[in-house]
Structures are given as structure tokens and as C-alpha cells.
């Protein structure tokens, strides 16, 4: 009687007496057959299971410290070592762990760590092994297929597109990778997709494309419509069925209106309707309507509405599209230019006077006597010794004045008139040296649009006498009557006229007219006010933000005068008693600099304005903080604090 094979049950006592049951076939089985084992595990430590599988399969494991937990396995039939290894992989997957081969060893890691391990291979022992695979696509772009496959993969898996080789890289369990690869092969097939161009004869391509985009979404049927505004055509892409549907809609929309002409309104954003309307009239005269005529009155009627800054255009659709394209190109935001001028003037003036005047007499108290000497009056006849005889204070001018007064003398009257009392001044010496300097800095600035002239004037209106008239009284009266004068007021100060022209790069051409004028001291012999005037008219080319000197003047004037008695004034040393010398030296340096800054958007404009505003406000705050102010701080004028405005939004397409 043949004995049935007996089952040898090995009981391993674990912590808390959790049983791990391993049933093995009796040695009486058929010779050469692989050993069979039956796993029955209940609440066993996972590390004990790892040790058991290592003993059965002969594999060596490296266990991550984070691998821990209790496992349960129920098996109804015996399995060989390969089947037990596959069951072992499934148990680890259930608990969030994975096997990663590493030479003769196998690493047991958490699933997230295993996905990032660099030793993954494309082959595995079972469907639960983690593998990496490169799937090459033939007909579909990898980046287009990636959004379709992302929702189908587990959260821990990785799916990446490689544009260079048009392939997908998948890292996941072997079963999932096989499923994704099978799905890709079904999708990556050759189709009848193509692109066809449909020219429009009546409708606007952009309007038709927008209508189709709202009516037929791109993900519905795979069809797509794109407008080509230059040729007024619609480009259709997608499979044949989708293109057929879109073509039918385009044909329906591209139908002529009942009336050949239509009136439409175009609202302008930046350009002026009154300036743009004549330009469009000239352009319309060169266009040809559907009837072949070129009369502008018959092709298009263009009117400007100033209150709304809009254009009212009556024209056929084809002509209207041409005019609308021109309007879009011209109605753009124009850049602005900030022009900062720096006018610097430095002048020095030195004056010197030296001379001796004297008078001598043998006495004027009587009726007869002799008088003689030198007399050198200054500017306006003042400062002479003769003037000092009547009034000594008249000789007291600038510089050092030395004289000697001996007393007074009464001159006899002439023709019965009373006598005149004068001072007896024998000699008068004058020494004068004067130095004066002027340092003027002006910084006018102005902002203007591209190709627009801007003018800034800072100064005063000064009256200049241009004529006078007086009527002589009638009836023998010599008294004037009805006197009047004519006066002309002229600007005196700084005037800057500039017209910028911005090129395609970062340079700007400037047409400049710069006038700087000021009042000057009235010289001898002048009948009215005298002004100093410096004027520059030029055209220059500058980089954005660069500084350039556009003009300058450097002068040095030396004036010397000598008054002397002929003959006596030429005697060495002694001749100084008979001469008076005066010299004047004037040096003047005037330079005009210019610096343009291109403001292409609102952010640049806000930055410049905020900087100037904050500078002026800071100066006012410094005045308020002075301790010697008699006005209370709260009564001092101060600009309000203004924060920078938010960045403007981009213009919506029209």
C-alpha cells in the first residue's frame, strides 16, 4: 500500500506568537522535480517573510529601514520558488514597497524611492516589478499624447516626453507599463489628417475663425480653424470628417450681404479720427471695389466723429477689410520722449581803477586868481575831483578814496547872482579792484509724443520802449499835451522747442530750437533795456538716455582805458600824477546739454513721474523741518503722498 505524502509544518514562533506556516512536499515526490511550498501567513512581520523568501529562492535582499509592517498571505496549493517570488512581489506592492535589482542583491525600498532608482531595467520577473521603458512614437507628437496618458497612470508612476526622439519614458509596474504601451500602439496610427486653405470672398477671416472657435471646440472632432488676415483665408486642420464639417460652416458664413455696402464704426484708441480720415480717403481712392471702379466716393465713404474719436466707414466688405487693416496698423500707442536740457553758465568779471587827480589855486576868495590841475571823471561823469569840490560825497565811490580838504571858498556870483561855496580839495587818489562771479544752472525738461513738437517757456515779459509822441500845447503855450509812449513786451528767459523722431532701435533724432535770454546792465549810451540772448537751432541724433552737448560759448573780453594829460602823462613816474587807468576783464562759459529718454510704455512714464514728484515732496519736507520757521509745520505747503499706480493691463486684441 502506497503511503500519501505527508506535510511537514514548520512553526516559527515570532513576537506575540504570530504564526508563519510553510508547508513543503515530502521527499517522496518524483525525483528531479522542483520543491513545492505552500505559504499561509497571518499577521507575520514582513521581515520574517523576507527571510523565508530568501531561504526558498536563494536571493539576497537589502532592506530599507522604512520597510516594516504585518502581512497576511493565504495559499491553497503548493508553489515553486519562481511563483513564490512573484507572490512576494505582489505582497510588497500591496504594502507600498518594491524590489529593485542591484547586481547579486535585490533592494527592498518604498515605492516612491524605487521609482527614482537608477538601476531599473526593462525586464522583470513578474507584473508587479517596477520597470522603465522608452516607447518611440511614429505618427503622433509625444507632447500631444502626454496630456492624454497622464490621467491613466498611477500617482506614483512617472511619464515624460522626449521631444528630440519623439518618445515617451514610462516608469511604473510592469503590468501598467504594458497596458500603457498597448494603448499607445492603438493611438499612434497613421490617419488622413491634413491642412487645407479656404480663401474668403466676402466675410472677414478673423471673424469667421472666432465664430468657429466658439461654435466647434478644438477637442470636438479634432478639427481646428485658423485665420490668415493677410490673405483673408481660413486654414483648416484635422481629420477628413472634421474638415468637411468646418468647410460647410465656412461656406455658409462666407456669403455676400444683401446690400453690397455696409456701414461700420471703428473706435480709435490712440490716433485722432480727424487726422486719420483724410489718410484713409487717399488710400480708398487707390482701391478697387467689386465692380472694378476706383472712384473713392463710390468705393468708400469715411467720416470722423470727434466726440467719440471714431471712424464711420461705408464700404464693401473687401474694401472695409483693407481699410480696417490700415487703421489697426496706425492706431497704436506711440512712444513718448522726455527731453531734459541742462544750461550751465559760469562767468567771472574783474575790474581795476587807479589814478590821481589834483587841483591847485592861489586863492579864490577874491575877485581874481589862478586854478589848474587834472580831472578824470568816471562812468556817468561821477567820481571826478571837480564834482567833489561841490559835494565831497560825490567822490566817494567804490574802492579806496584818499583826498585832502583845506576848507571852503566862496566863489563870487556873476551878473548879480549870489556866490557859491565850494570845498578846497587839493588832491584825490582813487584805487579800485572789483571781482564778481556768476554761476547759473537751468534744467528745463518736457515730455512729448513721437513726431510732435513741444514748447516750454520759463521767463518774464519785459516791456521795451518802441516809440513816444508828444503834442505841443496850442494858443501859444509851450507845455506838452497828450504825451504817450508805445511799449512792446518780449519774453526774457528760457525757451525750448523740440520735435523728437524715434527710430526702430534705441536712438532718437531731435529737431531743437533753444533760446536763453536775460537782462543785462544798461551800458552807457543805451536808451532802453538791454538783453543777453543765446540761441541754438540744430538737429541731433542721440541714444536713449545718452547726454550730448549741443552748443556752447566761451568768451574772454579785456577792456583797458587810460586817461592822461598829453605830454605830462608820458613822463616816467611823475606822469602818474597826470593819468587815470581803468581795466575790465570778463570771462564767460556757456554750455547747453541735452538728454532724451524714450518712454515706450506706461511703466516707464510712471517711474519718471514718481521720481520727480518724490524729489519735490522731499524738498518741501526739508523746509518744514527747519527749526527757525515762523509758520507752523501743518501750515507749510507739502505735496500729498502718492503711491505708484498699478501696472497697466495689456491691451486686448481687437
Amino acid at each position: 500500500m502506497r503511503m500519501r505524502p505527508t506535510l511537514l509544518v514548520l512553526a516559527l514562533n515570532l513576537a506575540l506568537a504570530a504564526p508563519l506556516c510553510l508547508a513543503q512536499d515530502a521527499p517522496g515526490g518524483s525525483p528531479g522535480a522542483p520543491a513545492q511550498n505552500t505559504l499561509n501567513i497571518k499577521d507575520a512581520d514582513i521581515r520574517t517573510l523576507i527571510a523565508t523568501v530568501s531561504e526558498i529562492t536563494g536571493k539576497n535582499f537589502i532592506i530599507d529601514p522604512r520597510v516594516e509592517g504585518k502581512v497576511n498571505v493565504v495559499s491553497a496549493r503548493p508553489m515553486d520558488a519562481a511563483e513564490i517570488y512573484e507572490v512576494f512581489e505582489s505582497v510588497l506592492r500591496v504594502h507600498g514597497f518594491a524590489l529593485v535589482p542591484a547586481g547579486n542583491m535585490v533592494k527592498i525600498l518604498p515605492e516612491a524611492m524605487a521609482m527614482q532608482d537608477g538601476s531599473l531595467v526593462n525586464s522583470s520577473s513578474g507584473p508587479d516589478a517596477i520597470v522603465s521603458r522608452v516607447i518611440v512614437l511614429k505618427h503622433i507628437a509625444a507632447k500631444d499624447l502626454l496630456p492624454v496618458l497622464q490621467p491613466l497612470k498611477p500617482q506614483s508612476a512617472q511619464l515624460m516626453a522626449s521631444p528630440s526622439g519623439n518618445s515617451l519614458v514610462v516608469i511604473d509596474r510592469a503590468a501598467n507599463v504594458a497596458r500603457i504601451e498597448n494603448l499607445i500602439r492603438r493611438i499612434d496610427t497613421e490617419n488622413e489628417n491634413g491642412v487645407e486653405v479656404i480663401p474668403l470672398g466676402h466675410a472677414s477671416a478673423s471673424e469667421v475663425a472666432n465664430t468657429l472657435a466658439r461654435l466647434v471646440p478644438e477637442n470636438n472632432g479634432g478639427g481646428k480653424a485658423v485665420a490668415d488676415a493677410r490673405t483673408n483665408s481660413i486654414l483648416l486642420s484635422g481629420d477628413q470628417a472634421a474638415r468637411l464639417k468646418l468647410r460647410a460652416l465656412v461656406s455658409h458664413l462666407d456669403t455676400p450681404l444683401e446690400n453690397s455696402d455696409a456701414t461700420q464704426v471703428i473706435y480709435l484708441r490712440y490716433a485722432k479720427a480727424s487726422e486719420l480720415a483724410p489718410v484713409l480717403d487717399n488710400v480708398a481712392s487707390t482701391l478697387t471695389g467689386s465692380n472694378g471702379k476706383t472712384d473713392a466716393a463710390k468705393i468708400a465713404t469715411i467720416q470722423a466723429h470727434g466726440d467719440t474719436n471714431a471712424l464711420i466707414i461705408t464700404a464693401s466688405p473687401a474694401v472695409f477689410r483693407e481699410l480696417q487693416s490700415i487703421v489697426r496698423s496706425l492706431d497704436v500707442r506711440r512712444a513718448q520722449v522726455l527731453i531734459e536740457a541742462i544750461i550751465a553758465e559760469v562767468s567771472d568779471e574783474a575790474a581795476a581803477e587807479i589814478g590821481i587827480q589834483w587841483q591847485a589855486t592861489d586863492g579864490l576868495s577874491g575877485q581874481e586868481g589862478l586854478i589848474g590841475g587834472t580831472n578824470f571823471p568816471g562812468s556817468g561823469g561821477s567820481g571826478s575831483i571837480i564834482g567833489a569840490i561841490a559835494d565831497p560825497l560825490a567822490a566817494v565811490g567804490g574802492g579806496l578814496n584818499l583826498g585832502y580838504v583845506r576848507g571852503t571858498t566862496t566863489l563870487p556870483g556873476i551878473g548879480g547872482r549870489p556866490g557859491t561855496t565850494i570845498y578846497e580839495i587839493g588832491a584825490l587818489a582813487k584805487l579800485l579792484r572789483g571781482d564778481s562771479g556768476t554761476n547759473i544752472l537751468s534744467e528745463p525738461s518736457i515730455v512729448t509724443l513721437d513726431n510732435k513738437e513741444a514748447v516750454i517757456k520759463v521767463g518774464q515779459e519785459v516791456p521795451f520802449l518802441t516809440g513816444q509822441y508828444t503834442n505841443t500845447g496850442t494858443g501859444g503855450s509851450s507845455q506838452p499835451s497828450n504825451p504817450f509812449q508805445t511799449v512792446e513786451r518780449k519774453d526774457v528767459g528760457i525757451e525750448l522747442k523740440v520735435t523728437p523722431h524715434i527710430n526702430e532701435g534705441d536712438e532718437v533724432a531731435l529737431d531743437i530750437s533753444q533760446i536763453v535770454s536775460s537782462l543785462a546792465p544798461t551800458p552807457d549810451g543805451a536808451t532802453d533795456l538791454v538783453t543777453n540772448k543765446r540761441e541754438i537751432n540744430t538737429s541731433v541724433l542721440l541714444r536713449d538716455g545718452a547726454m550730448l552737448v549741443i552748443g556752447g560759448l566761451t568768451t574772454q573780453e579785456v577792456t583797458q582805458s587810460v586817461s592822461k594829460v598829453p605830454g605830462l602823462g608820458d613822463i616816467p613816474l611823475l606822469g602818474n600824477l597826470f593819468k587815470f587807468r581803468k581795466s575790465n576783464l570778463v570771462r564767460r562759459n556757456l554750455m547747453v546739454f541735452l538728454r532724451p529718454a524714450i518712454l515706450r510704455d506706461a511703466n516707464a512714464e510712471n517711474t519718471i513721474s514718481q521720481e520727480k514728484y518724490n524729489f519735490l515732496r522731499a524738498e518741501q519736507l526739508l523746509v518744514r523741518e527747519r527749526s527757525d520757521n515762523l509758520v507752523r509745520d501743518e501750515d507749510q505747503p507739502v505735496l500729498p503722498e502718492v503711491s505708484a499706480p498699478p501696472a497697466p493691463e495689456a491691451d486686448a486684441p481687437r
Side-chain angles (χ1 to χ4, degrees):
M1 182 175 180
R2 187 175 179 179
M3 299 291 294
R4 297 180 57 188
T6 59
L7 296 177
L8 177 61
V9 179
L10 302 178
L12 302 178
N13 294 326
L14 305 175
L16 301 179
L20 172 69
C21 298
L22 177 64
Q24 187 176 12
D25 286 349
S30 59
Q36 300 286 320
N37 299 279
T38 303
L39 288 176
N40 286 295
I41 304 172
K42 182 179 180 181
D43 293 333
D45 187 79
I46 192 171
R47 294 178 178 267
T48 303
L49 175 62
I50 295 172
T52 302
V53 173
S54 176
E55 182 179 355
I56 294 174
T57 60
K59 295 182 179 292
N60 302 320
F61 297 103
I62 300 176
I63 307 173
D64 189 276
R66 288 164 290 189
V67 177
E68 56 185 11
K70 303 293 184 178
V71 296
N72 293 277
V73 179
V74 177
S75 177
R77 66 176 183 84
M79 296 175 291
D80 57 18
E83 293 176 329
I84 288 180
Y85 192 75
E86 290 184 3
V87 172
F88 178 56
E89 285 183 333
S90 300
V91 171
L92 293 178
R93 178 179 181 179
V94 170
H95 290 80
F97 306 114
L99 298 174
V100 178
N104 296 328
M105 305 296 294
V106 179
K107 294 182 289 186
I108 304 177
L109 304 172
E111 191 176 65
M113 298 295 296
M115 293 289 182
Q116 302 175 0
D117 196 278
S119 60
L120 298 176
V121 294
N122 289 338
S123 60
S124 65
S125 59
D128 294 321
I130 295 181
V131 298
S132 62
R133 191 159 301 166
V134 178
I135 305 173
V136 181
L137 304 177
K138 297 181 180 179
H139 306 287
I140 303 178
K143 61 181 182 62
D144 295 336
L145 192 57
L146 190 62
V148 179
L149 299 177
Q150 287 286 359
L152 304 179
K153 71 176 185 64
Q155 184 176 2
S156 59
Q158 299 184 23
L159 181 62
M160 296 162 288
S162 176
S164 58
N166 195 33
S167 58
L168 291 172
V169 180
V170 186
I171 303 176
D172 199 0
R173 303 284 180 175
N176 289 339
V177 173
R179 179 175 59 86
I180 292 177
E181 187 174 13
N182 183 44
L183 183 61
I184 291 175
R185 297 308 175 201
R186 295 178 60 185
I187 298 175
D188 187 25
T189 59
E190 187 176 2
N191 53 34
E192 298 179 354
N193 287 353
V195 177
E196 58 181 291
V197 180
I198 303 177
L200 303 182
H202 306 282
S204 172
S206 58
E207 295 178 359
V208 172
N210 292 335
T211 302
L212 294 177
R214 294 192 297 267
L215 183 63
V216 182
E218 295 181 10
N219 57 0
N220 185 12
K224 184 177 181 181
V226 179
D228 181 17
R230 188 179 65 87
T231 60
N232 196 42
S233 302
I234 295 292
L235 282 70
L236 300 180
S237 65
D239 55 41
Q240 187 174 7
R243 296 202 312 271
L244 184 61
K245 295 179 181 179
L246 292 176
R247 193 185 309 119
L249 291 174
V250 171
S251 300
H252 178 73
L253 294 175
D254 186 30
T255 56
L257 300 175
E258 295 182 0
N259 188 358
S260 59
D261 290 346
T263 301
Q264 300 192 46
V265 178
I266 301 178
Y267 293 96
L268 304 180
R269 297 183 179 181
Y270 307 106
K272 290 185 178 180
S274 57
E275 297 178 356
L276 197 56
V279 177
L280 296 179
D281 273 332
N282 295 332
V283 174
S285 63
T286 63
L287 300 177
T288 302
S290 58
N291 56 2
K293 297 181 180 180
T294 58
D295 187 359
K298 298 180 180 179
I299 294 299
T301 301
I302 304 169
Q303 296 180 351
H305 188 254
D307 293 341
T308 58
N309 195 34
L311 293 171
I312 305 172
I313 302 177
T314 303
S316 62
V319 174
F320 177 79
R321 285 193 300 270
E322 293 286 346
L323 297 178
Q324 186 182 40
S325 177
I326 296 174
V327 171
R328 289 178 177 176
S329 300
L330 297 179
D331 186 28
V332 295
R333 179 186 177 89
R334 296 162 59 185
Q336 300 188 96
V337 181
L338 168 66
I339 298 101
E340 295 178 310
I342 301 175
I343 306 168
E345 181 176 358
V346 179
S347 62
D348 294 321
E349 183 175 355
E353 293 182 4
I354 182 171
I356 298 176
Q357 306 174 55
W358 56 271
Q359 293 289 327
T361 179
D362 61 350
L364 296 178
S365 299
Q367 298 294 325
E368 298 179 354
L370 298 176
I371 184 171
T374 59
N375 181 52
F376 302 109
S379 300
S382 62
S384 65
I385 190 172
I386 297 300
I389 291 176
D391 182 8
L393 295 180
V396 180
L400 177 64
N401 298 274
L402 296 177
Y404 174 64
V405 181
R406 292 181 299 182
T408 61
T409 299
T410 302
L411 297 177
I414 299 176
R417 296 179 182 178
T420 302
T421 302
I422 62 173
Y423 293 89
E424 296 182 5
I425 299 180
L428 175 63
K430 293 186 63 178
L431 295 99
L432 169 66
R433 180 173 180 84
D435 295 302
S436 62
T438 304
N439 186 2
I440 302 174
L441 177 64
S442 303
E443 296 184 70
S445 62
I446 193 170
V447 178
T448 181
L449 284 172
D450 185 24
N451 298 313
K452 281 289 186 180
E453 183 186 60
V455 180
I456 181 173
K457 292 183 179 180
V458 180
Q460 297 175 317
E461 286 190 348
V462 179
F464 289 86
L465 182 63
T466 59
Q468 57 186 356
Y469 183 80
T470 304
N471 291 331
T472 305
T474 60
S477 174
S478 61
Q479 297 295 326
S481 63
N482 192 25
F484 69 91
Q485 295 178 335
T486 58
V487 176
E488 180 184 1
R489 294 184 177 272
K490 294 184 178 181
D491 294 329
V492 176
I494 297 174
E495 179 179 348
L496 173 63
K497 294 182 180 180
V498 61
T499 304
H501 309 282
I502 303 174
N503 61 14
E504 292 297 330
D506 59 349
E507 294 181 336
V508 54
L510 300 175
D511 297 330
I512 306 164
S513 174
Q514 175 81 58
I515 300 175
V516 180
S517 58
S518 61
L519 291 176
T522 303
D524 296 341
T527 59
D528 203 353
L529 300 177
V530 177
T531 59
N532 297 322
K533 185 176 181 181
R534 292 95 176 178
E535 182 174 354
I536 295 176
N537 293 285
T538 183
S539 296
V540 296
L541 181 66
L542 290 88
R543 285 189 302 105
D544 180 17
M547 181 180 291
L548 179 68
V549 56
I550 62 172
L553 174 66
T554 301
T555 60
Q556 182 170 335
E557 302 176 5
V558 178
T559 304
Q560 293 183 342
S561 62
V562 178
S563 301
K564 63 181 179 179
V565 177
L568 297 178
D570 298 329
I571 301 174
L573 297 178
L574 186 61
N576 293 326
L577 298 175
F578 302 95
K579 71 173 59 175
F580 190 89
R581 290 172 293 178
K582 180 179 180 181
S583 64
N584 191 29
L585 173 62
V586 179
R587 295 189 183 94
R588 182 177 294 107
N589 293 294
L590 172 66
M591 292 294 171
V592 180
F593 301 87
L594 210 64
R595 178 173 56 193
I598 302 176
L599 311 178
R600 298 189 182 274
D601 52 28
N603 290 332
E605 298 164 5
N606 294 336
T607 301
I608 293 294
S609 302
Q610 193 75 16
E611 179 183 352
K612 300 292 185 182
Y613 189 91
N614 291 338
F615 171 78
L616 187 57
R617 187 173 186 274
E619 292 294 322
Q620 291 181 328
L621 291 176
L622 289 177
V623 174
R624 172 182 282 190
E625 293 174 359
R626 292 177 182 172
S627 58
D628 56 350
N629 287 333
L630 298 179
V631 181
R632 296 181 304 174
D633 291 347
E634 54 270 19
D635 295 334
Q636 291 281 357
V638 177
L639 291 172
E641 185 175 2
V642 178
S643 58
E649 298 181 357
D651 291 340
R654 291 180 291 172

